[in-house]
Amino acid sequence: LAKTTQPISMDSYEGQEVNITCSHNNIATNDYITWYQQFPSQGPRFIIQGYKTKVTNEVASLFIPADRKSSTLSLPRVSLSDTAVYYCLVGDMYPGAGSYQLTFGKGTKLSVIP
Amino acid sequence: KAGVTQTPRYLIKTRGQQVTLSCSPISGHRSVSWYQQTPGQGLQFLFEYFSETQRNKGNFPGRFSGRQFSNSRSEMNVSTLELGDSALYLCASSLAVGSSYEQYFGPGTRLTVT
């Protein structure tokens, strides 16, 4: 199972772009990279997912270099409501029987300051 | 479309008792995963069910068990409760097994063991 390493916490001012980098040195060929957001006392919420290069949706962008050993979640112009914990996950997109498991790391606690 | 629902939302039990938690996935989703979240250990994978079969199991003792019904609803059971079982238990559903499928999390069941 590929393990992930993220910064424990980050602070940012409102309106700034925030980049959170996740390290996954032993990512496997079939692994997808997924990011989730979690607010206190709520379940995690899917933000974005990618396999390689760059993916963008209405809330974030995900940058994945060619070696796929890391990925960077980019949140444009953050607001106070973006204060949350952000998790990077790596998992097999074609799991065999008994081999699949999504592993959440400790996550990055993002605090947005007014 | 209704989201993932979990019942009950809050539960207080005594050491040695057993507890059953319920999860109703999003309509059409056939995969249900369970996670335990504690401040110290973070989000930890318990098990995943797909088409009424357990596909994978995390590193938890046999006191933790689960099942899935033909309508994809799932239950998890914890027997002989210990103080350390106090946690937020999260259920997530997805269309199928594999990290390329987005997981939708429920609000969780807050279990307190006294």
Side-chain angles (χ1 to χ4, degrees):
Chain A
L1 298 168
K3 290 188 177 179
T4 60
T5 304
Q6 306 173 231
I8 294 174
S9 64
M10 294 181 70
D11 293 335
S12 176
Y13 288 102
E14 268 191 300
Q16 289 190 328
E17 177 184 76
V18 171
N19 294 310
I20 306 174
T21 296
C22 177
S23 172
H24 27 80
N25 289 320
N26 58 339
I27 189 169
T29 303
N30 288 342
D31 284 343
Y32 258 92
I33 300 159
T34 311
W35 286 79
Y36 282 83
Q37 174 193 56
Q38 187 178 27
F39 298 111
S41 300
Q42 293 185 25
R45 183 177 71 99
F46 174 91
I47 301 175
I48 197 166
Q49 182 180 76
Y51 182 77
K52 61 181 179 181
T53 63
K54 176 184 175 182
V55 180
T56 298
N57 62 21
E58 63 276 8
V59 298
S61 294
L62 178 60
F63 299 91
I64 305 170
D67 66 6
R68 305 201 324 122
K69 293 184 183 298
S70 66
S71 59
T72 299
L73 174 71
S74 181
L75 304 172
R77 298 180 297 283
V78 294
S79 64
L80 295 177
S81 62
D82 292 318
T83 294
V85 178
Y86 292 82
Y87 294 96
C88 164
L89 286 81
V90 172
D92 192 341
M93 62 176 148
Y94 300 123
S99 67
Y100 173 65
Q101 181 177 135
L102 269 184
T103 302
F104 282 79
K106 298 296 186 183
T108 297
K109 185 174 182 179
L110 173 65
S111 298
V112 180
I113 307 163
Chain B
K1 182 154 73 167
V4 177
T5 58
Q6 292 186 245
T7 56
R9 292 293 312 278
Y10 303 91
L11 205 50
I12 299 175
K13 289 287 188 178
T14 304
R15 271 182 302 174
Q17 289 185 316
Q18 75 166 21
V19 66
T20 298
L21 311 181
S22 180
C23 171
S24 293
I26 291 172
S27 177
H29 285 192
R30 297 172 63 193
S31 173
V32 173
S33 298
W34 288 90
Y35 295 84
Q36 180 196 66
Q37 186 170 34
T38 59
Q41 298 299 318
L43 268 161
Q44 293 185 285
F45 173 80
L46 279 158
F47 28 65
E48 179 180 26
Y49 287 87
F50 180 77
S51 294
E52 302 178 66
T53 301
Q54 187 180 90
R55 292 296 304 271
N56 202 4
K57 191 177 190 301
N59 189 27
F60 277 82
R63 300 185 296 107
F64 292 81
S65 62
R67 60 177 175 170
Q68 186 180 35
F69 303 95
S70 58
N71 61 358
S72 294
R73 191 177 70 84
S74 178
E75 289 181 346
M76 69 161 282
N77 183 78
V78 187
S79 63
T80 319
L81 284 166
E82 301 177 358
L83 294 179
D85 297 333
S86 294
L88 180 67
Y89 289 88
L90 292 159
C91 162
S93 77
S94 60
L95 283 170
V97 176
S99 66
S100 60
Y101 293 97
E102 178 181 342
Q103 291 200 45
Y104 295 81
F105 283 80
T109 294
R110 174 76 62 185
L111 171 65
T112 301
V113 182
T114 62

